Amino acid sequence: MNEIMLGGIADHATPLVRNCWYVAARAAEVGREIISRRLLGVDVALYRTLAGEVVAVRNRCPHRSFPLAKGKLVGDVLVCGYHGMQFDPSGRCVSMPAMPITPTNASVRSFPTAERGPLVWIWMGDPDHADEAKVPDTSWLDSAEWKSVTGGFHIESDYVAMHENLLDQTHFPFLHPGAIGTPEYARSKLKVREEGDMVIIDRELRNSPPPGVYGVPTGLTGRPVDRFSDARFVSPALHTAYARIVDNNDASGAPRTYRFNITHIFTPESNGAIHYWWFCSRNFKLDDAAADAHLYESSAKAYQEDVDALEWILDVVRNDSQPQFDLNFAPDKPGLMMRQILYRLAAAEAGSPSQGCQRDNAGGVAAERLPASA
Amino acid sequence: MNEIMLGGIADHATPLVRNCWYVAARAAEVGREIISRRLLGVDVALYRTLAGEVVAVRNRCPHRSFPLAKGKLVGDVLVCGYHGMQFDPSGRCVSMPAMPITPTNASVRSFPTAERGPLVWIWMGDPDHADEAKVPDTSWLDSAEWKSVTGGFHIESDYVAMHENLLDQTHFPFLHPGAIGTPEYARSKLKVREEGDMVIIDRELRNSPPPGVYGVPTGLTGRPVDRFSDARFVSPALHTAYARIVDNNDASGAPRTYRFNITHIFTPESNGAIHYWWFCSRNFKLDDAAADAHLYESSAKAYQEDVDALEWILDVVRNDSQPQFDLNFAPDKPGLMMRQILYRLAAAEAGSPSQGCQRDNAGGVAAERLPASA
Amino acid sequence: MNEIMLGGIADHATPLVRNCWYVAARAAEVGREIISRRLLGVDVALYRTLAGEVVAVRNRCPHRSFPLAKGKLVGDVLVCGYHGMQFDPSGRCVSMPAMPITPTNASVRSFPTAERGPLVWIWMGDPDHADEAKVPDTSWLDSAEWKSVTGGFHIESDYVAMHENLLDQTHFPFLHPGAIGTPEYARSKLKVREEGDMVIIDRELRNSPPPGVYGVPTGLTGRPVDRFSDARFVSPALHTAYARIVDNNDASGAPRTYRFNITHIFTPESNGAIHYWWFCSRNFKLDDAAADAHLYESSAKAYQEDVDALEWILDVVRNDSQPQFDLNFAPDKPGLMMRQILYRLAAAEAGSPSQGCQRDNAGGVAAERLPASA
């Protein structure tokens, strides 16, 4: 434990980390109909240019706060529905019909985006730190060698609790007593380590039957296999789990490895509500509809159990009139390491220009607060 | 720009101006059934005496806060539904059944009212400043020479934004692209001036076809006319627009003038919600049902568009976690003048006796806080 | 009026008195299915052991705040639904599956309970002051000599207003104009006295017909009887009224006494919402279904009228933007005495260890805030 960790551990009320690539929407959601979504407390309008580029701007006209998503597109230009003020994809005003001269230094804040396979990522933080190279890898979601099933939730919970839940597998036998929980696995040895701002836990369990979720699609139910898992807190926006099931008794005579990549994506709507998307990807039986159905149903059921539990918990935490300092036990270590990272990241942003709207309408505005003449 | 204007401009959160005649209800709503309505944050009970006079008192018994509108009328006396405490139309207690002697210096606050045609006006401010002579003129609503259609809304918006919307006609082509918006009109010259606490904008547009709302009932669609408009912020409670359409090619050989008076009435329920009534009055075709229907439908549609826009805006303003200082442009000048007046009026009232309940139960109370003997 | 009374009178916003036996639930509600209920702002989980003992613990796992009522019972042990942490009926942790050694000094707060007839009482205050001998007497609810009808409400009101309502019978003719209100009774002489922290009002009305609620089951409607009532504020949790109807013209030749005990039970859910249970008990015609029905219907109707009135009042008090100091009259004396007692009890608790959660997890916890090793 290094010293900076002493600063504290994040909880549901900790300010949200803004300097991070988050998912704004599934790529398929964004098109020529403008949509809006609240991300980190800010309403964002999303659309595509005629060329198909994703545009994300603040959903609030800088003139009279009209929600821009209620306006319309004319070509690549977003036209406000109140006074017809027009913004190009960069957010710069290109026309204000009521004015003889276009106030070209007026603008609506635009947000950097990056489209990666089925996902549109967005940078809500300090634009000077937006670096597309840091969009996290989810290449398996867009690879011909993988097949994914996917689902999502809008939930009343917080990313801290969701990440802690995913870094903790000791709850499997209790919260998910059917498909994914085996008592042996809950007690299996884990190794935890930090890598930069990531927390990674490795587990292995040898010579033990797989849980239902993996047993059915691999056809290995009830048979002893080796099971390896690398689960990682990648960023506030992303948890990925790489699971391998190794069958040492494969008919081929050689060990056969089945891989599952599980992708959990969280974007806070605000403190207390999150957009949650998940993907369960596999590198075998790519065209097997029964495997699709089994993995979708098992995953959706288990994640619904997580969602229910975490919504119940946040409700308790918010409404209980007598606060509680939760106890911590040894298996909570990975979660606490992650919560220290989240706290450290949030603390580093506090007071920095990226926390707030200081950069909105950057570059000055055309009109004074009160116009000198009509 | 005079100095007092530097004090600031009102927005949705500015304290409400109380020293003003507001509309409490349509006259037809008030009768022998007691109704209640929240006006400027205060619940008011409204009824008529046997002689037909409107009575308005605070909807809260001074004894145990029972809502008086849940009581009943016995003649002109309002009887509380909890302990039978009785109040005459002035608000004075005339009986408390549980007491051997009537506590005649107990009272419920009554509010001055003034009935004018279809409207009941109320004075929620300092009673010493209530002056019926200052009830604003809406005499066309009750004149044999005029015919009106009318509608209303209860909306989640604020009078500041509603008044600003009405002083701004540059939004017509965008928010109301059908009936009332013509691009020529949006660009027509306006003259703006203050008269006391009023803001008046005059526009004229010559030799141009009228918009649909005026063209259809006058029968002048598509024909060049002269159009004059005097739109005014009369008070926090009232915006009136006097429009004239002049047909210089009338069959009579002489120019013919068609007049439309538009009346917009706002009474805050609280900061963030308003009662809104509108009237569209004309001085021609008084008995023409088709003209009635056309003007009602055109008006209701346009005002619904305003209401939608302003509810969306207030939702953004209230819920967006990153505040914004709206940009202002030259055409915003009339609205900003009005907002300075609202700010100045609100500031002048701050800390004055009319802001609050200091005058409730004025004149002392019959019983001590704790009675000396039972 | 002694000096301590000068401290103030309780109202809806006064902190709740915690050092008091409250009813947590009807005995029949508590069984082998865990239920939860918010009591004085704290969520409590309630169940019975295999031997039938009632257990009440905080509905919040000390580890990660999971609501324990969503867990399950294994024998007498409550198992958390998240990580399987187990608690015995005293709240002590008896197993944490993810830990090799049980953290036996971890615990969830348990609350003393006492089952009395149809009621389960709970002590939410300082456990050092829990004394079962002070559970108030409601023995008639469980006696072969009495027959009760019962009902209940969950209401948006406060115990202060409910107790004041019950100590005030001058509202009967107005709020309950049918069954229980007679004008003679409203004007009858009352004697009020304090006994410790109780307020007791005695009324008698001789030679007058009983109100409908009592007239019908006794068969004395319209006949002159003597009526005696001892109504008492017993504690924040309880109001009891002992009524006697004496028929001096009984066919037996001797006066005959009919007794009614009315029991009103209040448990705050929070400031502003209460659980309310009532019982109407009689010591005659124990097997008369018509008497049951009449008393249930009369009582339920009257108490619904009280509930409506008090919900309306709290709504006014909470939402009116202009506060009011209610007037008091001589008949309010018993209520004001009770409100002084409530204020005094609340003030005495302020800052004392029973106000808050200081005793939760008492005795230290097994794990440090951050475990030293995994």
Side-chain angles (χ1 to χ4, degrees):
Chain A
M1 301 297 127
N2 59 36
E3 280 205 285
I4 204 160
M5 286 183 176
L6 296 175
I9 56 172
D11 65 18
H12 69 288
T14 303
L16 301 169
V17 173
R18 304 186 85 81
N19 284 328
C20 174
W21 285 101
Y22 288 99
V23 169
R26 292 181 189 271
E29 291 180 285
V30 185
R32 294 289 294 169
E33 296 284 319
I34 314 165
I35 64 169
S36 70
R37 181 159 291 157
R38 187 159 294 174
L39 305 172
L40 290 89
V42 178
D43 278 347
V44 175
L46 291 157
Y47 67 94
R48 284 186 192 272
T49 63
L50 291 169
E53 295 288 318
V54 173
V55 177
V57 296
R58 198 173 172 188
N59 186 27
R60 181 172 182 173
C61 182
H63 172 226
R64 279 297 175 270
S65 293
F66 189 87
L68 292 172
K70 299 281 191 184
K72 64 179 178 182
L73 292 178
V74 175
D76 289 352
V77 166
L78 178 51
V79 182
C80 179
Y82 198 3
H83 297 88
M85 198 169 179
Q86 299 184 5
F87 303 94
D88 72 13
S90 77
R92 200 171 54 102
C93 178
V94 292
S95 174
M96 176 57 173
M99 292 279 283
I101 298 171
T102 297
T104 50
N105 53 352
S107 65
V108 63
R109 179 174 175 181
S110 71
F111 300 95
T113 60
E115 190 167 355
R116 294 287 181 276
L119 303 173
V120 172
W121 296 82
I122 192 168
W123 182 267
M124 302 292 294
D126 182 347
D128 291 344
H129 292 84
D131 177 358
E132 274 204 36
K134 293 188 176 163
V135 174
D137 177 31
T138 55
S139 53
W140 54 89
L141 300 181
D142 194 31
S143 159
E145 291 165 35
W146 291 82
K147 176 67 176 292
S148 300
V149 294
T150 180
F153 302 89
H154 176 270
I155 64 177
E156 301 291 315
S157 181
D158 57 284
Y159 65 18
V160 182
M162 290 302 296
H163 278 295
E164 187 164 48
N165 178 68
L166 291 167
L167 288 171
D168 155 46
Q169 296 172 346
T170 65
H171 74 271
F172 283 9
F174 303 98
L175 191 59
H176 315 295
I180 65 173
T182 66
E184 297 77 16
Y185 193 67
R187 283 193 291 269
S188 68
K189 186 82 184 156
L190 68 79
K191 281 187 265 186
V192 58
R193 62 195 160 95
E194 283 190 30
E195 234 181 76
D197 291 335
M198 290 198 295
V199 176
I200 303 169
I201 50 176
D202 291 303
R203 270 181 190 266
E204 59 176 74
L205 178 65
R206 294 186 182 267
N207 209 32
S208 180
V213 63
Y214 297 143
V216 171
T218 55
L220 297 169
T221 302
R223 291 168 51 187
V225 298
D226 293 343
R227 186 172 167 199
F228 303 90
S229 152
D230 165 319
R232 47 181 69 194
F233 166 75
V234 178
S235 81
L238 183 65
H239 176 102
T240 51
Y242 306 96
R244 284 178 296 138
I245 304 288
V246 180
D247 177 12
N248 293 303
N249 306 299
D250 190 61
S252 68
R256 176 164 177 192
T257 298
Y258 300 86
R259 295 173 62 195
F260 297 88
N261 286 3
I262 317 295
T263 313
H264 297 275
I265 296 163
F266 304 111
T267 308
E269 178 182 86
S270 61
N271 273 76
I274 52 180
H275 308 284
Y276 172 18
W277 296 274
W278 61 262
F279 295 78
C280 176
S281 310
R282 67 185 186 276
N283 75 339
F284 61 94
K285 292 189 185 173
L286 303 188
D287 297 319
D288 184 331
D292 285 352
H294 172 81
L295 288 168
Y296 177 80
E297 280 153 30
S298 308
S299 303
K301 177 175 181 296
Y303 304 147
Q304 183 69 60
E305 289 161 352
D306 287 328
V307 162
D308 288 347
L310 293 168
E311 290 196 329
W312 293 335
I313 287 172
L314 186 59
D315 182 60
V316 167
V317 168
R318 283 175 153 176
N319 294 311
D320 189 347
S321 65
Q322 303 203 328
Q324 169 173 296
F325 291 101
D326 285 346
L327 300 182
N328 295 313
F329 298 110
D332 298 318
K333 185 176 174 183
L336 292 169
M337 291 168 74
M338 174 276 299
R339 290 170 68 182
Q340 289 169 326
I341 291 168
L342 280 180
Y343 185 93
R344 191 174 66 214
L345 294 174
E349 289 185 9
S352 85
S354 65
Q355 281 286 52
C357 60
Q358 294 90 331
R359 297 186 62 94
D360 281 3
N361 305 321
V365 295
E368 305 80 8
R369 191 175 173 98
L370 189 69
S373 68
Chain B
M1 301 298 126
N2 58 36
E3 280 203 288
I4 202 161
M5 286 183 176
L6 297 175
I9 56 172
D11 64 18
H12 69 287
T14 303
L16 301 170
V17 173
R18 304 187 85 80
N19 284 329
C20 174
W21 286 100
Y22 287 99
V23 169
R26 293 181 189 270
E29 291 179 284
V30 185
R32 293 290 293 169
E33 297 283 320
I34 315 164
I35 64 169
S36 69
R37 182 161 290 157
R38 187 159 294 175
L39 305 172
L40 289 90
V42 178
D43 278 348
V44 175
L46 293 157
Y47 67 94
R48 284 185 193 272
T49 63
L50 290 169
E53 295 287 319
V54 173
V55 177
V57 296
R58 196 172 172 188
N59 187 27
R60 181 172 182 173
C61 181
H63 172 226
R64 280 297 175 272
S65 293
F66 189 87
L68 291 172
K70 299 281 191 183
K72 64 178 177 182
L73 292 178
V74 175
D76 289 353
V77 165
L78 178 52
V79 183
C80 179
Y82 198 3
H83 297 88
M85 198 171 180
Q86 299 184 5
F87 303 94
D88 72 13
S90 77
R92 200 170 54 103
C93 178
V94 292
S95 175
M96 175 58 172
M99 291 281 281
I101 298 169
T102 296
T104 51
N105 53 351
S107 65
V108 62
R109 179 174 174 180
S110 72
F111 300 95
T113 60
E115 189 168 357
R116 294 287 183 274
L119 302 174
V120 173
W121 296 82
I122 193 168
W123 183 267
M124 302 292 294
D126 182 347
D128 291 343
H129 292 83
D131 177 358
E132 274 204 36
K134 293 187 175 163
V135 174
D137 178 30
T138 55
S139 54
W140 55 88
L141 300 181
D142 194 30
S143 159
E145 291 165 35
W146 290 82
K147 176 67 177 291
S148 300
V149 293
T150 180
F153 302 90
H154 176 270
I155 64 177
E156 302 290 314
S157 181
D158 57 284
Y159 65 17
V160 182
M162 289 302 295
H163 279 296
E164 188 164 47
N165 179 67
L166 291 167
L167 288 170
D168 155 46
Q169 296 171 347
T170 65
H171 74 271
F172 284 8
F174 303 98
L175 191 59
H176 315 296
I180 67 173
T182 66
E184 298 77 15
Y185 193 69
R187 283 192 291 268
S188 68
K189 185 84 184 153
L190 67 80
K191 281 187 269 189
V192 58
R193 63 195 160 95
E194 283 190 30
E195 235 182 75
D197 290 336
M198 290 198 297
V199 176
I200 303 170
I201 50 176
D202 291 303
R203 271 181 189 264
E204 58 176 75
L205 178 66
R206 294 185 183 266
N207 209 33
S208 181
V213 64
Y214 297 143
V216 171
T218 57
L220 297 169
T221 303
R223 291 169 51 188
V225 298
D226 293 344
R227 187 172 166 199
F228 303 92
S229 153
D230 166 320
R232 47 181 70 194
F233 165 75
V234 178
S235 81
L238 183 66
H239 175 103
T240 51
Y242 306 96
R244 284 177 296 138
I245 303 288
V246 180
D247 177 12
N248 292 302
N249 305 300
D250 189 61
S252 69
R256 176 164 177 193
T257 297
Y258 299 87
R259 295 173 61 195
F260 296 88
N261 286 2
I262 317 296
T263 312
H264 297 276
I265 296 164
F266 305 111
T267 308
E269 179 182 86
S270 60
N271 274 76
I274 51 180
H275 308 284
Y276 172 19
W277 297 274
W278 60 263
F279 294 79
C280 175
S281 310
R282 66 185 187 275
N283 74 340
F284 61 93
K285 292 190 185 172
L286 303 188
D287 298 320
D288 184 330
D292 286 353
H294 172 80
L295 287 168
Y296 176 80
E297 280 155 29
S298 308
S299 302
K301 177 175 181 298
Y303 304 147
Q304 183 69 58
E305 288 161 352
D306 286 329
V307 162
D308 288 346
L310 293 168
E311 290 195 329
W312 293 335
I313 287 172
L314 186 59
D315 181 60
V316 167
V317 168
R318 283 174 153 177
N319 293 312
D320 189 348
S321 65
Q322 302 204 329
Q324 169 172 295
F325 291 103
D326 284 346
L327 300 182
N328 295 314
F329 298 110
D332 298 318
K333 185 176 175 182
L336 292 169
M337 291 169 73
M338 173 276 299
R339 291 170 66 180
Q340 288 169 327
I341 291 168
L342 280 180
Y343 185 94
R344 192 173 65 214
L345 294 173
E349 288 185 8
S352 85
S354 66
Q355 283 285 53
C357 61
Q358 294 89 333
R359 296 185 64 92
D360 281 2
N361 305 322
V365 294
E368 306 82 4
R369 193 173 171 99
L370 189 69
S373 68
Chain C
M1 300 301 126
N2 58 36
E3 280 205 288
I4 203 161
M5 286 182 176
L6 297 174
I9 56 173
D11 65 17
H12 70 287
T14 303
L16 301 169
V17 173
R18 305 186 84 81
N19 283 328
C20 174
W21 285 101
Y22 287 99
V23 169
R26 293 181 189 269
E29 291 180 284
V30 185
R32 294 289 294 170
E33 297 284 319
I34 314 164
I35 63 169
S36 70
R37 181 160 290 157
R38 187 160 294 174
L39 306 171
L40 291 89
V42 178
D43 277 347
V44 175
L46 293 157
Y47 68 94
R48 285 185 193 272
T49 63
L50 290 168
E53 295 288 318
V54 173
V55 177
V57 296
R58 197 172 173 189
N59 186 28
R60 180 172 183 172
C61 182
H63 171 227
R64 280 295 176 272
S65 293
F66 189 87
L68 292 171
K70 300 281 190 183
K72 64 178 178 182
L73 292 177
V74 175
D76 290 353
V77 166
L78 179 50
V79 182
C80 179
Y82 198 2
H83 297 88
M85 198 170 178
Q86 299 184 6
F87 303 95
D88 72 13
S90 76
R92 199 170 55 103
C93 178
V94 293
S95 174
M96 175 58 172
M99 291 280 282
I101 297 170
T102 296
T104 51
N105 53 351
S107 65
V108 62
R109 181 175 173 179
S110 72
F111 300 95
T113 60
E115 189 166 358
R116 295 286 181 275
L119 303 174
V120 172
W121 297 82
I122 193 168
W123 183 267
M124 302 291 295
D126 183 347
D128 290 344
H129 291 84
D131 176 359
E132 274 206 36
K134 293 186 176 165
V135 174
D137 178 30
T138 55
S139 53
W140 54 89
L141 300 180
D142 194 32
S143 158
E145 290 165 35
W146 291 83
K147 176 68 175 293
S148 301
V149 294
T150 180
F153 302 90
H154 176 269
I155 65 177
E156 301 290 313
S157 182
D158 57 284
Y159 66 16
V160 181
M162 289 302 296
H163 278 295
E164 187 164 48
N165 178 68
L166 291 166
L167 287 171
D168 155 47
Q169 296 171 347
T170 66
H171 74 269
F172 284 7
F174 303 98
L175 191 60
H176 314 296
I180 65 172
T182 67
E184 298 77 13
Y185 192 69
R187 283 193 291 269
S188 68
K189 186 83 186 154
L190 68 79
K191 281 187 268 187
V192 58
R193 63 193 159 94
E194 282 190 30
E195 236 181 75
D197 291 335
M198 289 198 296
V199 176
I200 303 169
I201 51 177
D202 291 302
R203 272 180 190 267
E204 59 176 74
L205 179 66
R206 293 184 184 267
N207 209 33
S208 181
V213 64
Y214 296 143
V216 172
T218 56
L220 297 169
T221 303
R223 291 168 52 187
V225 298
D226 294 343
R227 186 173 167 198
F228 303 91
S229 153
D230 166 320
R232 47 181 70 194
F233 166 75
V234 178
S235 82
L238 183 65
H239 176 102
T240 51
Y242 306 95
R244 284 177 295 137
I245 305 288
V246 179
D247 178 12
N248 292 304
N249 305 300
D250 190 62
S252 69
R256 177 165 176 192
T257 298
Y258 300 86
R259 296 174 61 194
F260 297 87
N261 286 4
I262 317 295
T263 313
H264 296 275
I265 296 164
F266 304 111
T267 308
E269 178 182 86
S270 61
N271 274 76
I274 52 180
H275 308 284
Y276 172 19
W277 297 273
W278 60 264
F279 294 79
C280 176
S281 311
R282 65 186 187 276
N283 74 340
F284 61 94
K285 293 189 185 173
L286 303 189
D287 298 319
D288 185 330
D292 285 354
H294 172 81
L295 287 168
Y296 176 80
E297 281 155 28
S298 308
S299 303
K301 177 175 181 297
Y303 304 146
Q304 183 70 58
E305 289 161 351
D306 287 329
V307 162
D308 287 347
L310 293 168
E311 291 195 328
W312 293 335
I313 287 172
L314 186 59
D315 182 59
V316 167
V317 168
R318 283 175 154 176
N319 293 310
D320 190 347
S321 65
Q322 302 203 329
Q324 169 173 295
F325 290 103
D326 285 346
L327 300 182
N328 295 313
F329 298 109
D332 297 319
K333 185 176 175 182
L336 292 169
M337 290 168 74
M338 173 276 299
R339 290 170 66 181
Q340 288 169 326
I341 290 168
L342 279 181
Y343 185 93
R344 192 174 64 214
L345 294 174
E349 289 185 9
S352 84
S354 66
Q355 282 286 54
C357 61
Q358 295 89 332
R359 297 186 64 91
D360 281 3
N361 306 321
V365 294
E368 306 82 4
R369 192 173 173 102
L370 190 70
S373 70

